Amino acid sequence: MFRTVARTGSITAAARALGFTQSAVSRQIAVLEGEVGERLFERVARGVVLTDAGNSLLPHANAVLDRLATARADLAALRGLGGGRVRVGAFPTAVAALVPRALAALLRAYPKVEVQLIEGRTPALLERLQSGDADVVVISGPAPASTRLTLRHLLDEELLVAVPAGHRLAGRRTVRLAELSDEAFIAGSATAEDELLRATLPAGFRPRTGIVAAEWTGKLGCVAAGLGVALVPALALRARPGDISLLRIHRDDASVRRVYAATTRTPSPPVAAVLDHLSETAQQLAR
């Protein structure tokens, strides 16, 4: 009731959503405030708003209710794949092709499974996995050195170089990274610790960051406009835009990102099914 009142901003609307009377919801909120020892809501002209105490309590309430939902889903999963829930996290380029195809295949096979997709960078995804807020995460880069994690290698993702269509190297099929030493790279972050692609590059090569654009559509738009070049993971490209050229990196400089699926416990039936579909989809993409 507390979460629903907070979400709707109205005791009346919360009562309607939950199928209770307004007085019943008001009484239960009063009981909760008595247990907490603080007022959780302030009345305003068109409903209620959270107090500082209410804002402090809400994320804990969400976490408790989410864990209860996970417990129910795990128990349902024990009865097979006629139900259950799975929370899948993935880094942005994996959401471009790999993960959606795997989840679509899962839902075709098991339409009653509930799927939640969480997008984020690898460090944040690992935190969510280890805190119990995700069931399986698709991550990239060096394998994490943690005994709590179970990793399944999915694929090695090739990195390409995107250059404007009129670039001096646009007609080439492959390029040495040394030939790009004077180029400005369109990067996802201005800080080295967030530039995850750097971990896969040859020792001694450090791209010179020019424009910073977080999303791949923005990065490729900057490349097309001639503002720089970009390292592009193959998973990020569903089709090659007509105003850029994609170059392979010479085999002596070849750079790949290793992509894994990570879990922290014995997989429930829905999680095991997701892992199998991720592996199958990764094999298809690699081919």
Side-chain angles (χ1 to χ4, degrees), residues 49-74:
V49 296
L50 287 166
T51 63
D52 289 344
N55 276 310
S56 178
L57 181 61
L58 183 59
H60 298 290
N62 286 332
V64 168
L65 292 170
D66 190 57
R67 288 297 181 87
L68 285 171
T70 299
R72 294 189 186 99
D74 284 350

Side-chain angles (χ1 to χ4, degrees), residues 186-229:
I186 311 300
S189 167
T191 56
E193 59 269 21
D194 289 336
E195 189 55 71
L196 299 181
L197 298 186
R198 290 187 180 182
T200 66
L201 296 177
F205 180 78
R206 288 292 179 266
R208 178 170 64 87
T209 300
I211 298 291
V212 174
E215 301 297 332
W216 286 109
T217 51
K219 287 182 183 178
L220 295 179
C222 289
V223 171
L227 296 177
V229 302

Side-chain angles (χ1 to χ4, degrees), residues 8-83:
T8 61
S10 164
I11 289 176
T12 301
R16 188 163 50 245
L18 295 170
F20 290 98
T21 64
Q22 180 178 341
S23 60
V25 174
S26 294
R27 285 196 302 270
Q28 290 301 315
I29 294 299
V31 169
L32 180 59
E33 288 178 328
E35 293 177 349
V36 171
E38 298 278 355
R39 292 186 66 185
L40 301 175
F41 294 100
E42 293 282 357
R43 292 192 175 274
V44 294
R46 290 178 168 250
V48 294
V49 296
L50 287 166
T51 63
D52 289 344
N55 276 310
S56 178
L57 181 61
L58 183 59
H60 298 290
N62 286 332
V64 168
L65 292 170
D66 190 57
R67 288 297 181 87
L68 285 171
T70 299
R72 294 189 186 99
D74 284 350
L75 290 171
L78 293 175
R79 298 190 292 271
L81 287 171

